[in-house]
Amino acid sequence: MINPSLYQINTRVWLNKLSQELGRRATLDDIPDAELDEIAKIGFDWVYFLGVWQTGIMGREISRGNPDWRKEAIELFGDDFQEDYICGSCFAVTGYHIHENLGDNAAMLRLRDRLHQRGIKLMLDFVPNHTAPDHPWIETNSDFYIQGTQADIEREPYNYIQIELPAGSKIFAHGRDPYFPGWSDTLQLNYGNPKLQEAMLAELFNVAHLCDGVRCDMAMLILPNIFEHTWGIPMEAFWSDAISQVKQQYADFIFMAEVYWNLEWELQQLGFDYTYDKRLYDRVHQQQAIPVREHLYADLDFQSKLARFIENHDEPRANATFPPRVHQAAAILTYFTPGLRFFHQGQLQGWSQKISMHLCYAPQERTVPKLERFYHQLLDCLALDIVREGNWQLLECVAAWEGNLTWNNFIAFVWEGKDERLLLITVNYAPYQGQCYVHLPFESLRGERYRLQDLMNDVSYDRLGDKLISRGLYLDVPAWGYHVFDIS
């Protein structure tokens, strides 16, 4: 798939809502075919089912006892809060088999088959850095974890935990990245132990048997230099060999990395098909055009492997952080660039409540009709062959007249199809009206009159091709305004 679209579903929340509707516990087999039909109809190529793996009692109790996580849940639900709404983080995994509340591995395979019948591929999680504190390995293979001393736990109580085992108590490090305190519901795996690496590769194969791709949680944490910097323990490289071995058995299997700290290119070179584009997300949040445009200067080999998003389960809801007009402009900039287009359940409806990963329920939210219409139009455009298989090019914008500096707020790019069809996207990414000329360096435009039909707004313009080439396309656009011109 070229430039695919992915839809992320919070599996536990979705099935618990379905359970309330059915009056019994719903499993993966109860997901209605009509829901899958709708996902296919909208145009998604992938569905990422978040949080399907078995979790344990210890992780759940840590989540319920954490005052910050508990306060967040109570504020979300208000008087409707119930204790069982906090079920523990889905990233505190005790085993790579489907959670008993959701069904079993066979149910996941049946769901995968139903998705395949609709031309959709299935993505699941892989959490390489840590496990839950009550993972079976704690008793059977405690050397798979980084262990500490009494001095460690006294000096950094937020980074270590003492666990009672049949052979006596031991102190273990919480999973963490080097810039934040440890995740208190996890234990850190020791990638300096070759046996642990073998075991994690086997777990990765268990996951690959059930799906078509994985989203690898905090993938950069087990790069050798990052791991040694964090823990002072050298390790052999894991990702390149692991990805290669999985793809030898599952040739079309896809790896997507959650990655930060400008390490996207490094992980792409290790074999990841897609890496998070957090830099674009942060720059559209700044609501300034120049940083966004500078990011889009990057080489296309790099950009085509970026996963573009304006919200996901880790980030605030787009409708809660972007004003409405900025929201739409940011979505146009994000999703019309090359790479994987990453959408989050509820984003299309304009939901505004972020759901913590420690929760398996969510409050009811109303749909925002205007945003829903916008996203359906956007997805219709993203389904066009020209946006899937065409050539993408960033365009130059120049001043409409001397002294008018508003041209610098414009970002313009074009998709060119095999039949020389053009799809021109322009955004005035600024809080005030602006004007510019957009250079269209396409000799094929000469000698004809063209209609510019906006696929996202009900407007069209007729222009002479010679003028489009010689002078450019003149734009006068309101604050946060945009066009998606089909030029024919």
Side-chain angles (χ1 to χ4, degrees), residues 100-145:
E100 59 192 1
N101 289 348
L102 307 180
D104 55 21
N105 285 7
M108 180 57 76
L109 289 173
R110 288 191 291 272
L111 176 59
R112 185 187 67 179
D113 289 343
R114 289 200 285 155
L115 290 168
H116 285 182
Q117 291 166 15
R118 294 160 173 82
I120 302 173
K121 292 192 174 185
L122 170 66
M123 183 174 288
L124 300 176
D125 294 300
F126 180 61
V127 187
N129 184 66
H130 47 263
T131 73
D134 46 355
H135 191 288
W137 286 345
I138 296 298
E139 294 190 11
T140 62
N141 300 87
S142 61
D143 60 326
F144 282 3
Y145 297 90

Side-chain angles (χ1 to χ4, degrees), residues 279-348:
R279 283 187 290 177
L280 180 59
Y281 172 82
D282 289 339
R283 292 181 183 200
V284 296
H285 255 281
Q286 293 173 15
Q287 300 182 24
Q288 296 178 9
I290 293 175
V292 175
R293 186 167 57 246
E294 289 175 344
H295 183 60
L296 297 178
Y297 287 140
D299 188 87
L300 276 177
D301 288 341
F302 172 66
Q303 291 205 60
S304 63
K305 292 185 177 182
L306 293 174
R308 320 279 198 169
F309 55 86
I310 58 170
E311 70 170 67
N312 59 47
H313 67 272
D314 286 317
E315 307 294 350
R317 289 288 194 179
N319 197 35
T321 56
F322 289 105
R325 294 173 69 184
V326 184
H327 183 166
Q328 294 188 24
I332 294 292
L333 287 173
T334 298
Y335 294 119
F336 275 105
T337 51
L340 181 144
R341 289 79 183 243
F342 187 149
F343 294 84
H344 185 208
Q345 188 179 30
Q347 179 182 347
L348 310 186

Side-chain angles (χ1 to χ4, degrees), residues 296-467:
L296 297 178
Y297 287 140
D299 188 87
L300 276 177
D301 288 341
F302 172 66
Q303 291 205 60
S304 63
K305 292 185 177 182
L306 293 174
R308 320 279 198 169
F309 55 86
I310 58 170
E311 70 170 67
N312 59 47
H313 67 272
D314 286 317
E315 307 294 350
R317 289 288 194 179
N319 197 35
T321 56
F322 289 105
R325 294 173 69 184
V326 184
H327 183 166
Q328 294 188 24
I332 294 292
L333 287 173
T334 298
Y335 294 119
F336 275 105
T337 51
L340 181 144
R341 289 79 183 243
F342 187 149
F343 294 84
H344 185 208
Q345 188 179 30
Q347 179 182 347
L348 310 186
Q349 292 78 28
W351 294 351
S352 58
Q353 298 285 357
K354 180 185 176 185
I355 308 304
S356 164
M357 289 300 95
H358 301 274
L359 298 174
C360 49
Y361 289 84
Q364 189 78 18
E365 291 202 57
R366 292 182 178 180
T367 295
V368 180
K370 185 175 181 179
L371 263 180
E372 187 175 45
R373 288 192 299 271
F374 165 80
Y375 273 114
H376 279 274
Q377 282 182 285
L378 174 62
L379 286 161
D380 284 344
C381 291
L382 296 182
L384 297 172
D385 289 343
I386 190 172
V387 185
R388 299 293 297 269
E389 302 173 1
N391 295 316
W392 181 90
Q393 180 179 344
L394 189 65
L395 298 177
E396 181 184 12
C397 299
V398 297
W401 58 82
E402 186 177 354
N404 183 344
L405 300 181
T406 60
W407 68 269
N408 216 14
N409 299 321
F410 282 83
I411 301 169
F413 41 81
V414 67
W415 287 92
E416 184 178 11
K418 295 177 182 178
D419 57 356
E420 298 185 341
R421 178 185 179 187
L422 300 176
L423 193 70
L424 172 65
I425 295 90
T426 65
V427 180
N428 176 24
Y429 206 59
Y432 46 83
Q433 189 165 352
Q435 300 80 28
C436 75
Y437 280 96
V438 180
H439 283 167
L440 294 172
F442 302 101
E443 288 297 318
S444 60
L445 294 175
R446 289 196 183 278
E448 299 287 348
R449 178 181 291 273
Y450 288 89
R451 170 152 294 179
L452 283 65
Q453 178 67 52
D454 193 333
L455 302 182
M456 295 295 297
N457 301 286
D458 189 21
V459 295
S460 64
Y461 305 97
D462 292 335
R463 296 290 185 269
L464 292 174
D466 290 346
K467 287 190 176 181

